[in-house]
Amino acid sequence: MLNKGKYVRSMHLMMLLPVIFIFIYNYLPMLGAVIAFERFNPALGFFKSEFVGFQNFATLFRDETFLRVLYNTISISLGKIIFGLAVPLVVSLLLNEIRLRFVKRTVQTLIYLPYFLSWVVMASITIQILSPNHGLVNEFLGLFSVEPIFFLGDENLFPGVIVATDVWKQFGWNTIIFLSAFAGIDPGLYEAAAVDGAGRWQQLLHVTLPGIFSTIILVLTLNMANILNAGFDQVQNLISPMTLDTGDILDTFVYRYGMQNAQFGLATAAGLFKSTVSCLLLMLSYKLADKLTGFKVI
């Protein structure tokens, strides 16, 4: 029998490389946050650049572009959270009513496939589907004599496209989570409800939904931490100058100011603001998850 102490040491050694990797690529870069408080000059480095205190943050919060970007980020993120919860919940409820296992598993597989595709691939597919010239959606609308719509070039429609395509890509994952939660409901509750004369709709309202309520609240509260994360990969691959006013988000703002305009202090200040707020929201979400569902972080 393997000695317990030797076994524990072996497990720790197995985790050593991942811990080193995370330390190098996740924690060491945090030193760069000092740029948010400097007039950073790459030639001088972190420690010799001029220290300006909170000047970068003051400039940032007076910038109308930043305030607009912050509004865009929050509105798009809220749309993703709301529809990213509602759509998989409805789909999982419908799938749960299917009794043919083959059909159920086939549908599950088909809706889960987009989750594995990168946003580069998904953006290319989206552009083709929504193209005003022979795009699938506009071809369908043309059957009803509707003029072609430039979905990705209309600033009013663009946020909705971002939310819809994100839900399309991600809802298969949450659907599986909810289907797993359904499996944990005691079948005896359905039998008791049927004996009491409850129909399928009443069983759904009084047995199924209460049975997965804790899972719904858990998924919702844990998504709160993503309120300032509207999806850089997705937006960067779909945005254009025509939709910049309503589609620009914090991540694309940081990328543009830092990488394209070389305003490193402002970009780092915006990134640090986002990280701080996200961290606070993450702690709040765990507190809410613990209070509402008894979820504990070990």
Side-chain angles (χ1 to χ4, degrees):
M1 182 179 293
L2 185 64
N3 181 271
K4 183 177 180 180
K6 188 175 181 181
Y7 174 77
V8 172
R9 286 194 297 272
S10 299
M11 294 297 101
H12 286 167
L13 286 174
M14 185 177 69
M15 293 298 298
L16 183 60
L17 284 178
V19 168
I20 292 174
F21 181 87
I22 291 174
F23 177 76
I24 292 174
Y25 291 100
N26 291 72
Y27 283 90
L28 282 183
M30 289 182 181
L31 295 174
V34 71
I35 296 175
F37 306 96
E38 297 177 340
R39 186 172 288 108
F40 181 68
N41 185 337
L44 297 177
F46 295 157
F47 305 109
K48 292 185 179 180
S49 296
E50 180 186 356
F51 182 78
V52 295
F54 290 95
Q55 182 178 324
N56 286 324
F57 291 93
T59 302
L60 193 67
F61 293 130
R62 288 196 299 264
D63 188 344
E64 292 184 2
T65 301
F66 175 75
L67 298 178
R68 172 175 53 79
V69 163
L70 185 60
Y71 172 79
N72 292 342
T73 303
I74 294 174
S75 59
I76 291 174
S77 296
L78 283 176
K80 288 183 176 183
I81 290 173
I82 294 171
F83 289 100
L85 178 69
V87 172
L89 179 59
V90 171
V91 172
S92 60
L93 288 170
L94 294 174
L95 285 176
N96 193 52
E97 297 300 316
I98 297 177
R99 294 294 175 254
L100 295 176
R101 180 171 295 184
F102 171 77
V103 175
K104 186 175 181 178
R105 292 185 180 277
T106 301
V107 174
Q108 279 183 255
T109 302
L110 290 175
I111 64 176
Y112 192 42
L113 280 177
Y115 183 79
F116 295 99
L117 300 179
S118 71
W119 270 116
V120 175
V121 176
M122 288 294 294
S124 299
I125 296 173
T126 301
I127 291 171
Q128 293 298 321
I129 292 176
L130 298 180
S131 171
N133 300 318
H134 309 297
L136 183 62
V137 173
N138 278 303
E139 288 288 333
F140 175 75
L141 293 176
L143 298 176
F144 302 95
S145 301
V146 178
E147 291 294 322
I149 301 172
F150 193 4
F151 290 95
L152 296 175
D154 188 325
E155 63 178 17
N156 296 317
L157 296 176
F158 187 75
V161 172
I162 292 295
V163 172
T165 51
D166 182 78
V167 171
W168 174 33
K169 185 178 187 298
Q170 306 287 348
F171 84 96
W173 169 255
N174 281 340
T175 298
I176 290 178
I177 293 176
F178 290 132
L179 285 172
S180 301
F182 292 147
I185 300 175
D186 184 2
L189 296 175
Y190 290 103
E191 295 174 3
V195 170
D196 289 339
R200 300 294 288 272
W201 180 249
Q202 291 175 312
Q203 291 178 28
L204 172 66
L205 292 177
H206 301 291
V207 179
T208 304
L209 288 179
I212 64 169
F213 178 74
S214 61
T215 302
I216 296 172
I217 295 298
L218 182 59
V219 171
L220 180 61
T221 53
L222 294 182
N223 280 338
M224 282 179 56
N226 293 321
I227 198 69
L228 293 183
N229 186 19
F232 172 77
D233 292 345
Q234 178 192 16
V235 175
Q236 183 66 15
N237 280 287
L238 292 174
I239 201 169
S240 67
M242 293 179 290
T243 57
L244 198 63
D245 284 346
T246 58
D248 198 16
I249 60 173
L250 271 175
D251 289 330
T252 53
F253 174 88
V254 170
Y255 172 77
R256 189 171 62 256
Y257 271 58
M259 300 300 293
Q260 297 180 350
N261 300 342
Q263 297 187 37
F264 302 110
L266 284 178
T268 307
L272 186 58
F273 168 77
K274 175 193 169 183
S275 298
T276 303
V277 173
S278 296
C279 183
L280 293 174
L281 287 173
L282 181 63
M283 292 189 290
L284 176 62
S285 67
Y286 278 130
K287 287 290 185 182
L288 288 175
D290 180 23
K291 187 176 182 62
L292 296 174
T293 67
F295 173 77
K296 297 286 186 181
V297 181
I298 300 176

